[in-house]
Amino acid sequence: QGYERQFPNQLSGGEQQRVALARAIVIRPRELLFDEPLSNLDAKLRVHMRGELRELQKRLSITAVYVTHDQEEAMAISDRIAVMHQGAIVQEGTAEDLYRRPSSEFVAQFIGRTNLLSARVLAVGAAGVEVELASQRIRVPDETARVAAGETVRVVVRPEVINVYAAESGSGVPGTIVSRTFLGEKAEYQVQVGAEILQVTSYDPVRRGTFAPGQQVRLSFPAEGIQLLRGEAQCRRP
């Protein structure tokens, strides 16, 4: 209401997007095709509009194909996601599937922030795979891994699963804070561990405190937060 007599050039970007969406859904199509529909909106309006799109899609039961380079947007709005690389689908599944069980380094890097590290396999058994990661022995609960003792494997370690403690805690892998970004509900760090720079995310920094650049810390890697990569998955053409 109040916009009935406005011309397109008198509307904001968000208002124009709403008009375009209304024109698309008023004819009740069987499919809706979106190509980066929120790319020209500011951050807060993008979050609001993706919620509106999701609610409309569910309420009207319209199949929607949504193309975006924004991984968070894809995870928030989709039932299923197809990750494409050079014109081919490299993995398809739910947001949780792709985030927690990426099939390749490309998918692991494309969906969310990640640390891709090399680890040496120490033993393989019914309880999982024991690896040496940053001088820490970790048993990864992976019963389907086809690896052998002595092999070097690539592992995915998401920033939020790494625990960071003060250096005097006495346990964990020693490291040095390189940089810190305070984002309110979380603090994002870059931590030097040997020759590697790891991304680490710590939530609730107001209550838990923060670490300053140059400060010595210790890191631990929970086994349940580590995924073994099984080599590059085969691409398939859509």
Side-chain angles (χ1 to χ4, degrees):
Q1 290 183 348
Y3 291 85
E4 297 89 346
R5 298 184 181 278
Q6 300 275 39
F7 286 94
N9 64 355
Q10 296 174 301
L11 300 175
S12 69
E15 290 160 356
Q16 290 180 30
Q17 293 287 52
R18 288 180 173 86
V19 171
L21 180 59
R23 286 172 170 165
I25 66 175
V26 72
I27 60 173
R28 295 297 179 100
R30 291 198 304 172
E31 294 93 20
L32 274 175
L33 308 180
F34 294 99
D35 187 2
E36 299 279 6
L38 310 182
S39 59
N40 63 335
L41 305 182
D42 63 62
K44 286 188 176 180
L45 191 53
R46 284 173 71 101
V47 173
H48 174 74
M49 282 298 296
R50 78 188 187 196
E52 284 197 359
L53 288 175
R54 179 69 171 168
E55 189 277 330
L56 273 172
Q57 187 270 331
K58 289 296 185 184
R59 179 158 52 87
L60 300 177
S61 297
I62 298 176
T63 298
V65 178
Y66 193 103
V67 179
T68 180
H69 287 85
D70 187 320
Q71 296 89 352
E72 183 178 314
E73 197 171 285
M75 295 174 75
I77 206 169
S78 304
D79 294 305
R80 296 189 67 79
I81 300 173
V83 179
M84 300 186 69
H85 181 52
Q86 297 181 343
I89 295 174
V90 293
Q91 189 172 353
E92 182 182 350
T94 65
E96 186 175 357
D97 287 339
L98 270 59
Y99 189 81
R100 298 185 61 185
R101 291 173 288 276
S103 63
S104 66
E105 291 192 15
F106 175 81
V107 175
Q109 292 176 312
F110 190 80
I111 300 292
R113 299 169 64 241
T114 191
N115 298 291
L116 283 170
L117 305 172
S118 296
R120 186 167 64 91
V121 178
L122 300 177
V124 180
V129 180
E130 187 175 359
V131 300
E132 183 179 43
L133 176 63
S135 72
Q136 189 175 18
R137 296 172 70 98
I138 302 169
R139 185 172 294 279
V140 181
D142 191 329
E143 299 176 358
T144 62
R146 297 179 179 178
V147 295
E151 286 187 25
T152 297
V153 295
R154 295 286 277 172
V155 298
V156 176
V157 186
R158 297 293 184 181
E160 69 275 9
V161 306
I162 301 176
N163 297 314
V164 55
Y165 308 100
E168 54 270 23
S169 67
S171 62
V173 179
T176 304
I177 301 293
V178 176
S179 67
R180 178 190 70 194
T181 303
F182 182 79
L183 297 172
E185 80 278 7
K186 63 183 178 180
E188 294 181 347
Y189 300 99
Q190 287 191 316
V191 184
Q192 178 91 44
V193 177
E196 300 277 1
I197 299 290
L198 303 186
Q199 301 178 78
V200 180
T201 299
S202 178
Y203 284 89
D204 199 5
V206 174
R207 187 166 57 90
R208 299 178 62 181
T210 57
F211 301 98
Q215 188 172 347
Q216 300 297 306
V217 294
R218 289 188 176 272
L219 306 178
S220 67
F221 305 87
E224 63 274 11
I226 297 174
Q227 302 107 43
L228 300 183
L229 284 177
R230 299 170 179 79
E232 294 296 315
Q234 293 296 313
C235 301
R236 66 180 178 84
R237 297 291 166 181

